[in-house]
Amino acid sequence: MKQSNTKDKLSVICALLIIIFTVWSVGDMYLHVGSGNMQVSRAVVFRYFTVDSNILSAVSVLLLLIWRLGGAPGRTKRTVPGWLTLLRYMGTVSVTVTLMTVLCFLGLLYGYASMFAGWNFYLHLAGPLLSIAAFIWFDPGETLPGRMVWTSLLPTAVYGAVYLYMAVVRGMENGGWPDFYGFNIGGRWMISLAAMLLATLLIGAVLWLARKRAAA
């Protein structure tokens, strides 16, 4: 019981930190200007998967927090609705994709200093690590069935379709986006897309397995 209470407290602490710092960082970028590789403001900030994935993570922990505060006393972690656990899963996979993309690709391409400058430190590193820790070790809820690992692809696939259209099909000359992630360098967007989807699925599988083993 004591261990369960400790996990509950750590889950709530992680949720509050994620919500506060996501609202603070994205709000500051929106009203002023971002740092490093995201020196943009206003609605342009939402072009970045970094921002979108952190928002998804924050929304998922906010809904989990609301559910817990509104629940009846004595509820156990097994009563968390499956859809909410699934949303937490997709949010965590998304910010982990952000983290690994920065560590394994963008940092090498643009330099790690810009990746972790200002609010980027939270959005690219601290936020994802908080979400990963909470999802694997602290958050209540049953382990998802293995077949649900495929759902980890949804946020990346949806964003990838939008990015492909705006940055590759339309491009800046037609009012689209610049290729700020460098996924179409040398016209190799198909390789980039396939690599991102495969990496996302691998991340989803690792997080699913890690949570399952932590709950054992």
Side-chain angles (χ1 to χ4, degrees):
M1 182 64 70
K2 184 176 181 181
Q3 184 180 14
S4 178
N5 289 336
T6 299
K7 284 187 175 183
D8 286 343
K9 290 177 181 178
L10 289 172
S11 177
V12 170
I13 290 171
C14 286
L16 291 174
L17 289 174
I18 290 170
I19 294 166
I20 291 170
F21 280 102
T22 299
V23 172
W24 193 0
S25 59
V26 175
D28 188 57
M29 289 174 62
Y30 183 89
L31 294 174
H32 301 101
V33 67
S35 305
N37 71 311
M38 295 191 292
Q39 296 184 29
V40 296
S41 61
R42 296 299 188 264
V44 179
V45 303
F46 302 113
R47 292 181 180 180
Y48 290 85
F49 186 76
T50 292
V51 173
D52 298 337
S53 63
N54 275 273
I55 290 175
L56 179 59
S57 175
V59 168
S60 70
V61 295
L62 175 61
L63 291 177
L64 181 60
L65 190 60
I66 291 173
W67 175 87
R68 297 174 74 158
L69 293 175
R75 269 185 167 176
T76 67
K77 65 180 182 180
R78 296 187 181 277
T79 59
V80 176
W83 66 266
L84 188 47
T85 300
L86 180 61
L87 186 63
R88 277 292 295 124
Y89 175 59
M90 289 193 290
T92 304
V93 170
S94 296
V95 289
T96 307
V97 169
T98 289
L99 171 65
M100 297 309 297
T101 301
V102 166
L103 294 179
C104 301
F105 180 68
L106 295 179
L108 297 174
L109 190 64
Y110 299 118
Y112 289 100
S114 66
M115 292 297 110
F116 300 122
W119 282 119
N120 288 359
F121 178 80
Y122 172 78
L123 295 170
H124 284 155
L125 182 64
L129 290 177
L130 277 171
S131 188
I132 292 168
F135 178 75
I136 293 176
W137 291 294
F138 309 139
D139 287 350
E142 294 185 348
T143 301
L144 294 167
R147 66 180 182 276
M148 301 305 290
V149 168
W150 289 100
T151 63
S152 64
L153 287 170
L154 288 176
T156 300
V158 170
Y159 179 85
V162 174
Y163 186 88
L164 176 63
Y165 174 73
M166 295 300 293
V168 178
V169 177
R170 288 186 62 178
M172 291 187 66
E173 63 275 10
N174 295 311
W177 301 347
D179 182 23
F180 45 81
Y181 283 132
F183 288 158
N184 195 37
I185 294 176
R188 299 174 181 175
W189 64 266
M190 288 186 289
I191 296 176
S192 297
L193 179 61
M196 289 303 300
L197 292 176
L198 286 173
T200 299
L201 189 60
L202 177 59
I203 288 169
V206 170
L207 288 173
W208 175 84
L209 182 60
R211 180 178 168 97
K212 182 179 180 180
R213 289 189 173 181

